[in-house]
Amino acid sequence: MTRQIDHVPADTRMPDYDQLFLFIDGEWIDRGTRDGLDVFNPATGDVIGTLPVATEADIQNALNAAEKGFHVWRQISPFERGKILRQAATLIRERSSAIAIRMSLEEGKPVAEARGEVNVAADMFDWFAEEGRRSYGRVIPSRSEGTRYLVLREPVGPTAAFSPWNFPATSPARKIAASLGAGCSCIVKPAEETPATCLAIARALADAGLPKGVLNVLYGSPEAISSQLISSPVIRKISFTGSTVVGKKLAHLAADGVKRMTLELGGHAPVVIFEDADIEKTAQLAVAAKFRNAGQVCISPTRFYVHENVHDQFVDAFIASARLLRIGSGVDPETQMGPLANPRRLAAMTRLVEDAVAVGGELRLGGHRIGNQGNFWEPTLLVDVPEHTAMMNEEPFGPIAMTSRFKTFDEAVTAANRLPFGLAAYAFTQSDKTAMAISNALESGMVGLNTFAISVPETPFGGVKESGFGSEGGIEGLDAYLATKFVSQA
Ligand code: NAD
């Protein structure tokens, strides 16, 4: 049975969107005679801005600026660098309401959710400002008298960062803050679909006193920009968040230059719900986590493996809670779930649901587009979905949850681990013994036990298997931007 959900119409009194620029060597570069790329509001389909498309010369200018910026920035002490990053964090927080509205207009998420994200982005600058001061080396006892063995940790060099559209603030912030905290310069290419948010972050850094060329922001053809940046000898480290397909392409390019990489490539998170879990509470937490950012989250809980004795109770509670969600334009303060970020996601939702229903998955909630304006899709739940369906194998990246029943612990673990992804996994149980056993058994970079909250700046964020390698937060996040140098002094 499906249910029609009321569609809250998009707010007709749209707030202003920013003029869009490239940011190279401290200059804000407008479109001029360059090609343009339109930016759309996903709640209405309207064009809200036009991006300048970076030319080959712009990309080269950014490389030159990053090279020059690196030499300036690495000479500044971590203590002084930290002051600039912390000042940028303060400015981002002060401007969070305005930035959140821009983000909501370009990405679709509710403004309150966007504001929370902007504040976490500010926290990332604080974290890496401090961690940069702790890039400790060490002294190793030497073998001969009068000699010293020193291990130094140095910034790896100019970095190239590629971030996606689903987290327009935290995704670029993680990469920029870690680069700058370590003493590297950075060229970032955020997603063309959501450009204003990262430009606002760059503006805060510039206003905080970041020297010219230390951060550069490019938009245009992702392929042209990534191939020119990664093949340049200037770039010493690459960080990419996005799809596995693109991540593999960039890994090939990086391999040619033997360049370090951090890859965060999404997942298909399993949630194992044991018989002894608090089912009502788990269902409520699951709805909040699943439909955050309309499910366009790489750690979104997706495959719910529920013990057969509590499966139906969980499904009923999940549906009851999901029916309460208010769907609408992100800039409407009442909205709890906004539209999908682009029409590609709508097409993907339609294909995944039709495929699953055709082979026996039972559609219990949603499953359809809402209205014909904007990219709205109903919160959706399918139960008893066969393993061979597309949605059980392909990251849905949208507001779709699916369930499957299990009887034994081993059966649940095998099902949870069967995909080539390993980013996030979750388990719910009131038994400490089961919690420890399942956290050991899950093949995943991050595990939430009785919680879906697994991402803050001070904890490592990253995956295993085809979800990528390297971690972006925590002390590991800084380490990824540091090279080790051994000095033997006689
Ligand atoms: P896509 O594969 O076209 O693009 C993914 C991201 O990579 C975008 O930000 C895009 O700008 C960038 N990109 C594409 N080609 C590139 C290139 N040659 N060089 C550098 N960057 C490039 O996919 P999409 O339609 O935007 O999203 C589809 C899928 O991507 C989703 O279903 C999801 O699985 C995955 N995705 C994952 C994340 C994540 O947080 N890990 C974020 C966004 C998308």
Side-chain angles (χ1 to χ4, degrees):
M1 191 191 79
T2 62
R3 177 184 168 274
Q4 197 60 44
I5 291 162
D6 293 338
H7 172 217
V8 181
D11 190 340
T12 46
R13 295 160 289 118
M14 279 298 167
D16 289 341
Y17 190 68
D18 293 329
Q19 194 190 339
L20 300 168
F21 301 94
L22 308 175
F23 181 57
I24 301 173
D25 204 12
E27 304 294 326
W28 299 95
I29 297 168
D30 65 19
R31 185 175 163 195
T33 56
R34 291 170 182 79
D35 288 344
L37 261 180
D38 286 339
V39 178
F40 297 89
N41 178 340
T44 61
D46 294 340
V47 173
I48 49 176
T50 304
L51 264 176
V53 170
T55 62
E56 201 179 322
D58 291 326
I59 302 169
Q60 188 54 50
N61 289 342
L63 284 164
N64 297 344
E67 190 171 27
K68 193 184 65 179
F70 175 57
H71 292 296
V72 173
W73 189 236
R74 70 173 308 186
Q75 301 303 330
I76 299 175
S77 73
F79 180 73
E80 294 299 328
R81 290 198 298 249
K83 282 187 194 166
I84 294 176
L85 299 186
R86 283 201 306 277
Q87 173 61 9
T90 301
L91 293 176
I92 291 169
R93 277 189 201 99
E94 281 172 15
R95 300 169 186 179
S96 63
S97 295
I99 301 173
I101 288 172
R102 273 41 173 195
M103 189 198 300
S104 180
L105 285 175
E106 62 189 12
E107 203 270 352
K109 68 181 64 178
V111 169
E113 214 174 289
R115 195 179 303 113
E117 184 188 332
V118 173
N119 284 321
V120 173
D123 293 349
M124 285 169 178
F125 283 97
D126 277 339
W127 170 256
F128 284 108
E130 290 303 311
E131 277 307 288
R133 297 168 62 185
R134 290 188 271 274
S135 47
Y136 304 134
R138 67 189 194 278
V139 181
I140 298 172
S142 78
R143 289 190 168 206
S144 31
E145 208 182 315
T147 65
R148 253 191 334 188
Y149 294 163
L150 302 176
V151 179
L152 308 180
R153 305 284 283 149
E154 298 184 332
V156 67
T159 70
F162 304 91
S163 61
W165 40 263
N166 56 334
F167 284 95
T170 50
S171 194
R174 267 203 184 100
K175 300 171 195 306
I176 298 168
S179 297
L180 272 45
C184 301
S185 58
C186 177
I187 303 177
V188 62
K189 191 211 76 60
E192 282 67 26
E193 281 144 318
T194 55
T197 304
C198 188
L199 288 173
I201 289 173
R203 181 80 69 181
L205 282 157
D207 292 350
L210 191 73
K212 285 181 178 192
V214 178
L215 175 67
N216 303 275
V217 188
L218 295 175
Y219 293 102
S221 152
E223 196 162 359
I225 297 175
S226 58
S227 54
Q228 194 174 337
L229 291 185
I230 297 173
S231 60
S232 163
V234 169
I235 296 300
R236 305 297 290 273
K237 149 110 198 165
I238 295 116
S239 169
F240 172 77
T241 299
S243 62
T244 302
V245 178
V246 175
K248 285 182 182 178
K249 272 194 220 165
L250 301 193
H252 280 287
L253 286 175
D256 282 342
V258 197
K259 296 188 183 180
R260 289 166 65 162
M261 279 199 110
T262 302
L263 288 176
E264 199 270 271
L265 305 178
H268 199 314
V271 186
V272 182
I273 301 173
F274 291 97
E275 196 179 0
D276 65 348
D278 179 338
I279 298 301
E280 301 295 321
K281 188 174 163 204
T282 303
Q284 278 173 22
L285 291 175
V287 164
K290 174 71 252 179
F291 300 114
R292 177 166 78 105
N293 198 17
Q296 303 162 115
V297 181
C298 51
I299 56 170
S300 185
T302 296
R303 293 176 289 142
F304 289 84
Y305 296 106
V306 190
H307 191 276
E308 59 177 4
N309 292 346
V310 291
H311 175 273
D312 293 351
Q313 185 194 348
F314 173 78
V315 166
D316 290 345
F318 185 98
I319 292 173
S321 180
R323 281 188 196 283
L324 301 177
L325 288 171
R326 284 185 63 87
I327 325 283
S329 162
V331 292
D332 180 334
E334 300 286 303
T335 292
Q336 291 170 304
M337 187 180 100
L340 294 168
N342 55 60
R344 298 193 298 286
R345 302 295 347 121
L346 274 186
M349 297 308 107
T350 308
R351 176 173 57 79
L352 293 176
V353 170
E354 284 177 2
D355 168 80
V357 169
V359 294
E362 190 192 344
L363 183 61
R364 289 288 304 276
L365 180 75
H368 304 97
R369 183 179 179 187
I370 306 172
N372 56 11
Q373 190 201 27
N375 308 323
F376 293 93
W377 186 269
E378 294 171 327
T380 296
L381 177 72
L382 289 100
V383 302
D384 296 321
V385 182
E387 260 188 3
H388 62 278
T389 51
M391 72 165 62
M392 287 295 269
N393 293 279
E394 192 183 311
E395 183 178 26
F397 226 64
I400 297 184
M402 57 213 83
T403 71
S404 198
R405 299 166 206 255
F406 73 87
K407 285 192 182 70
T408 66
F409 180 90
D410 288 350
E411 206 180 298
V413 168
T414 304
N417 288 342
R418 60 175 273 278
L419 294 183
F421 304 108
L423 186 64
Y426 308 93
F428 288 80
T429 174
Q430 295 190 43
S431 151
D432 281 347
K433 197 171 159 215
T434 309
M436 187 180 290
I438 191 76
S439 61
N440 287 338
L442 289 167
E443 295 171 359
S444 183
M446 294 167 282
V447 175
L449 296 173
N450 299 318
T451 180
F452 291 104
I454 56 168
S455 171
V456 286
E458 56 270 31
T459 58
F461 188 97
V464 296
K465 296 160 75 175
E466 290 195 15
S467 289
F469 46 77
S471 291
E472 289 214 283
I475 52 173
E476 293 85 353
L478 189 83
D479 201 57
Y481 294 84
L482 294 171
T484 299
K485 180 186 276 176
F486 169 59
V487 178
S488 176
Q489 186 182 359

mmCIF file of all heavy atoms in Angstrom, residues 117-141:
data_model
loop_
_atom_site.group_PDB
_atom_site.id
_atom_site.type_symbol
_atom_site.label_atom_id
_atom_site.label_comp_id
_atom_site.label_asym_id
_atom_site.label_seq_id
_atom_site.Cartn_x
_atom_site.Cartn_y
_atom_site.Cartn_z
ATOM 1 N N GLU A 117 24.988 21.903 9.204
ATOM 2 C CA GLU A 117 26.157 21.480 8.410
ATOM 3 C C GLU A 117 27.218 22.587 8.366
ATOM 4 O O GLU A 117 28.419 22.320 8.497
ATOM 5 C CB GLU A 117 25.716 21.105 6.990
ATOM 6 C CG GLU A 117 26.883 20.567 6.177
ATOM 7 C CD GLU A 117 26.572 20.357 4.702
ATOM 8 O OE1 GLU A 117 25.407 20.110 4.352
ATOM 9 O OE2 GLU A 117 27.515 20.454 3.894
ATOM 10 N N VAL A 118 26.780 23.822 8.173
ATOM 11 C CA VAL A 118 27.736 24.943 8.105
ATOM 12 C C VAL A 118 28.502 25.057 9.424
ATOM 13 O O VAL A 118 29.723 25.260 9.442
ATOM 14 C CB VAL A 118 27.001 26.269 7.774
ATOM 15 C CG1 VAL A 118 27.952 27.453 7.880
ATOM 16 C CG2 VAL A 118 26.375 26.208 6.380
ATOM 17 N N ASN A 119 27.802 24.859 10.534
ATOM 18 C CA ASN A 119 28.482 24.951 11.829
ATOM 19 C C ASN A 119 29.489 23.815 12.016
ATOM 20 O O ASN A 119 30.554 24.011 12.605
ATOM 21 C CB ASN A 119 27.461 24.996 12.968
ATOM 22 C CG ASN A 119 26.820 26.377 13.050
ATOM 23 O OD1 ASN A 119 27.484 27.400 12.875
ATOM 24 N ND2 ASN A 119 25.516 26.421 13.268
ATOM 25 N N VAL A 120 29.158 22.634 11.495
ATOM 26 C CA VAL A 120 30.128 21.530 11.581
ATOM 27 C C VAL A 120 31.340 21.853 10.701
ATOM 28 O O VAL A 120 32.487 21.558 11.066
ATOM 29 C CB VAL A 120 29.483 20.179 11.176
ATOM 30 C CG1 VAL A 120 30.542 19.077 11.116
ATOM 31 C CG2 VAL A 120 28.396 19.787 12.171
ATOM 32 N N ALA A 121 31.102 22.492 9.553
ATOM 33 C CA ALA A 121 32.233 22.894 8.697
ATOM 34 C C ALA A 121 33.150 23.848 9.474
ATOM 35 O O ALA A 121 34.381 23.735 9.419
ATOM 36 C CB ALA A 121 31.727 23.548 7.413
ATOM 37 N N ALA A 122 32.549 24.777 10.219
ATOM 38 C CA ALA A 122 33.360 25.691 11.050
ATOM 39 C C ALA A 122 34.156 24.899 12.084
ATOM 40 O O ALA A 122 35.351 25.145 12.299
ATOM 41 C CB ALA A 122 32.453 26.712 11.739
ATOM 42 N N ASP A 123 33.510 23.905 12.699
ATOM 43 C CA ASP A 123 34.210 23.063 13.690
ATOM 44 C C ASP A 123 35.423 22.372 13.059
ATOM 45 O O ASP A 123 36.434 22.139 13.734
ATOM 46 C CB ASP A 123 33.279 21.979 14.247
ATOM 47 C CG ASP A 123 32.138 22.546 15.083
ATOM 48 O OD1 ASP A 123 32.175 23.743 15.416
ATOM 49 O OD2 ASP A 123 31.200 21.775 15.387
ATOM 50 N N MET A 124 35.305 22.031 11.784
ATOM 51 C CA MET A 124 36.435 21.361 11.115
ATOM 52 C C MET A 124 37.645 22.288 11.023
ATOM 53 O O MET A 124 38.786 21.851 11.194
ATOM 54 C CB MET A 124 36.019 20.913 9.715
ATOM 55 C CG MET A 124 35.124 19.694 9.776
ATOM 56 S SD MET A 124 34.376 19.341 8.198
ATOM 57 C CE MET A 124 33.495 17.843 8.658
ATOM 58 N N PHE A 125 37.390 23.572 10.756
ATOM 59 C CA PHE A 125 38.519 24.513 10.707
ATOM 60 C C PHE A 125 39.153 24.654 12.095
ATOM 61 O O PHE A 125 40.377 24.709 12.217
ATOM 62 C CB PHE A 125 38.070 25.864 10.127
ATOM 63 C CG PHE A 125 37.933 25.790 8.625
ATOM 64 C CD1 PHE A 125 36.704 25.574 8.027
ATOM 65 C CD2 PHE A 125 39.057 25.881 7.812
ATOM 66 C CE1 PHE A 125 36.594 25.454 6.647
ATOM 67 C CE2 PHE A 125 38.957 25.762 6.427
ATOM 68 C CZ PHE A 125 37.727 25.550 5.843
ATOM 69 N N ASP A 126 38.322 24.666 13.127
ATOM 70 C CA ASP A 126 38.879 24.722 14.491
ATOM 71 C C ASP A 126 39.727 23.477 14.772
ATOM 72 O O ASP A 126 40.824 23.575 15.328
ATOM 73 C CB ASP A 126 37.743 24.789 15.528
ATOM 74 C CG ASP A 126 37.229 26.204 15.717
ATOM 75 O OD1 ASP A 126 37.962 27.157 15.382
ATOM 76 O OD2 ASP A 126 36.085 26.360 16.195
ATOM 77 N N TRP A 127 39.189 22.322 14.415
ATOM 78 C CA TRP A 127 39.892 21.056 14.704
ATOM 79 C C TRP A 127 41.260 21.028 14.019
ATOM 80 O O TRP A 127 42.285 20.757 14.653
ATOM 81 C CB TRP A 127 39.026 19.871 14.256
ATOM 82 C CG TRP A 127 39.762 18.563 14.294
ATOM 83 C CD1 TRP A 127 40.268 17.873 13.233
ATOM 84 C CD2 TRP A 127 40.115 17.802 15.460
ATOM 85 N NE1 TRP A 127 40.907 16.739 13.652
ATOM 86 C CE2 TRP A 127 40.835 16.663 15.019
ATOM 87 C CE3 TRP A 127 39.901 17.970 16.830
ATOM 88 C CZ2 TRP A 127 41.329 15.711 15.899
ATOM 89 C CZ3 TRP A 127 40.401 17.012 17.700
ATOM 90 C CH2 TRP A 127 41.102 15.903 17.231
ATOM 91 N N PHE A 128 41.277 21.365 12.719
ATOM 92 C CA PHE A 128 42.552 21.265 12.001
ATOM 93 C C PHE A 128 43.500 22.423 12.330
ATOM 94 O O PHE A 128 44.717 22.280 12.214
ATOM 95 C CB PHE A 128 42.321 21.110 10.490
ATOM 96 C CG PHE A 128 41.876 19.712 10.143
ATOM 97 C CD1 PHE A 128 40.571 19.445 9.759
ATOM 98 C CD2 PHE A 128 42.765 18.642 10.227
ATOM 99 C CE1 PHE A 128 40.162 18.148 9.466
ATOM 100 C CE2 PHE A 128 42.373 17.342 9.938
ATOM 101 C CZ PHE A 128 41.064 17.092 9.554
ATOM 102 N N ALA A 129 42.944 23.554 12.778
ATOM 103 C CA ALA A 129 43.800 24.637 13.279
ATOM 104 C C ALA A 129 44.619 24.122 14.453
ATOM 105 O O ALA A 129 45.819 24.393 14.575
ATOM 106 C CB ALA A 129 42.940 25.821 13.720
ATOM 107 N N GLU A 130 43.962 23.368 15.328
ATOM 108 C CA GLU A 130 44.636 22.847 16.518
ATOM 109 C C GLU A 130 45.524 21.652 16.179
ATOM 110 O O GLU A 130 46.642 21.537 16.662
ATOM 111 C CB GLU A 130 43.592 22.455 17.573
ATOM 112 C CG GLU A 130 42.891 23.655 18.188
ATOM 113 C CD GLU A 130 43.880 24.629 18.812
ATOM 114 O OE1 GLU A 130 44.759 24.192 19.570
ATOM 115 O OE2 GLU A 130 43.786 25.832 18.523
ATOM 116 N N GLU A 131 45.015 20.740 15.362
ATOM 117 C CA GLU A 131 45.794 19.544 15.032
ATOM 118 C C GLU A 131 47.083 19.900 14.306
ATOM 119 O O GLU A 131 48.092 19.221 14.450
ATOM 120 C CB GLU A 131 44.958 18.577 14.174
ATOM 121 C CG GLU A 131 44.051 17.689 14.987
ATOM 122 C CD GLU A 131 44.774 16.945 16.090
ATOM 123 O OE1 GLU A 131 45.539 16.007 15.800
ATOM 124 O OE2 GLU A 131 44.586 17.317 17.265
ATOM 125 N N GLY A 132 47.043 20.997 13.508
ATOM 126 C CA GLY A 132 48.248 21.426 12.811
ATOM 127 C C GLY A 132 49.384 21.710 13.785
ATOM 128 O O GLY A 132 50.557 21.505 13.469
ATOM 129 N N ARG A 133 49.054 22.157 14.986
ATOM 130 C CA ARG A 133 50.075 22.451 16.011
ATOM 131 C C ARG A 133 50.630 21.177 16.631
ATOM 132 O O ARG A 133 51.557 21.214 17.408
ATOM 133 C CB ARG A 133 49.464 23.334 17.106
ATOM 134 C CG ARG A 133 49.016 24.681 16.561
ATOM 135 C CD ARG A 133 48.167 25.423 17.564
ATOM 136 N NE ARG A 133 48.894 25.712 18.777
ATOM 137 C CZ ARG A 133 48.351 26.271 19.856
ATOM 138 N NH1 ARG A 133 47.074 26.593 19.849
ATOM 139 N NH2 ARG A 133 49.063 26.508 20.921
ATOM 140 N N ARG A 134 49.995 20.062 16.312
ATOM 141 C CA ARG A 134 50.435 18.791 16.914
ATOM 142 C C ARG A 134 50.980 17.830 15.860
ATOM 143 O O ARG A 134 50.898 16.621 16.024
ATOM 144 C CB ARG A 134 49.261 18.146 17.653
ATOM 145 C CG ARG A 134 48.861 18.899 18.899
ATOM 146 C CD ARG A 134 47.833 18.158 19.710
ATOM 147 N NE ARG A 134 46.477 18.495 19.296
ATOM 148 C CZ ARG A 134 45.803 19.544 19.758
ATOM 149 N NH1 ARG A 134 46.333 20.359 20.642
ATOM 150 N NH2 ARG A 134 44.585 19.775 19.341
ATOM 151 N N SER A 135 51.541 18.387 14.778
ATOM 152 C CA SER A 135 52.098 17.479 13.754
ATOM 153 C C SER A 135 53.509 17.076 14.198
ATOM 154 O O SER A 135 54.512 17.448 13.596
ATOM 155 C CB SER A 135 52.098 18.152 12.378
ATOM 156 O OG SER A 135 52.614 19.450 12.447
ATOM 157 N N TYR A 136 53.526 16.313 15.279
ATOM 158 C CA TYR A 136 54.794 15.993 15.949
ATOM 159 C C TYR A 136 55.654 15.031 15.146
ATOM 160 O O TYR A 136 55.154 14.079 14.563
ATOM 161 C CB TYR A 136 54.531 15.308 17.304
ATOM 162 C CG TYR A 136 53.646 16.077 18.266
ATOM 163 C CD1 TYR A 136 52.616 15.429 18.932
ATOM 164 C CD2 TYR A 136 53.858 17.428 18.501
ATOM 165 C CE1 TYR A 136 51.807 16.113 19.827
ATOM 166 C CE2 TYR A 136 53.055 18.109 19.395
ATOM 167 C CZ TYR A 136 52.031 17.452 20.050
ATOM 168 O OH TYR A 136 51.237 18.129 20.934
ATOM 169 N N GLY A 137 56.960 15.265 15.179
ATOM 170 C CA GLY A 137 57.906 14.261 14.716
ATOM 171 C C GLY A 137 58.407 13.479 15.920
ATOM 172 O O GLY A 137 57.736 13.425 16.954
ATOM 173 N N ARG A 138 59.598 12.873 15.826
ATOM 174 C CA ARG A 138 60.162 12.208 17.003
ATOM 175 C C ARG A 138 61.683 12.101 16.877
ATOM 176 O O ARG A 138 62.247 12.286 15.795
ATOM 177 C CB ARG A 138 59.518 10.841 17.230
ATOM 178 C CG ARG A 138 59.789 9.797 16.193
ATOM 179 C CD ARG A 138 58.884 8.580 16.473
ATOM 180 N NE ARG A 138 59.291 7.407 15.733
ATOM 181 C CZ ARG A 138 58.976 7.159 14.470
ATOM 182 N NH1 ARG A 138 58.264 8.040 13.783
ATOM 183 N NH2 ARG A 138 59.380 6.054 13.882
ATOM 184 N N VAL A 139 62.332 11.808 17.997
ATOM 185 C CA VAL A 139 63.778 11.587 18.015
ATOM 186 C C VAL A 139 63.992 10.115 18.311
ATOM 187 O O VAL A 139 63.459 9.591 19.291
ATOM 188 C CB VAL A 139 64.458 12.453 19.105
ATOM 189 C CG1 VAL A 139 65.967 12.230 19.086
ATOM 190 C CG2 VAL A 139 64.120 13.920 18.900
ATOM 191 N N ILE A 140 64.774 9.445 17.450
ATOM 192 C CA ILE A 140 65.040 8.017 17.637
ATOM 193 C C ILE A 140 66.471 7.887 18.167
ATOM 194 O O ILE A 140 67.387 8.531 17.623
ATOM 195 C CB ILE A 140 64.893 7.270 16.286
ATOM 196 C CG1 ILE A 140 63.447 7.414 15.786
ATOM 197 C CG2 ILE A 140 65.286 5.810 16.429
ATOM 198 C CD1 ILE A 140 63.215 6.883 14.392
ATOM 199 N N PRO A 141 66.690 7.105 19.232
ATOM 200 C CA PRO A 141 68.063 6.956 19.737
ATOM 201 C C PRO A 141 68.982 6.464 18.613
ATOM 202 O O PRO A 141 68.651 5.508 17.916
ATOM 203 C CB PRO A 141 67.927 5.895 20.839
ATOM 204 C CG PRO A 141 66.484 5.932 21.229
ATOM 205 C CD PRO A 141 65.722 6.314 20.006
#
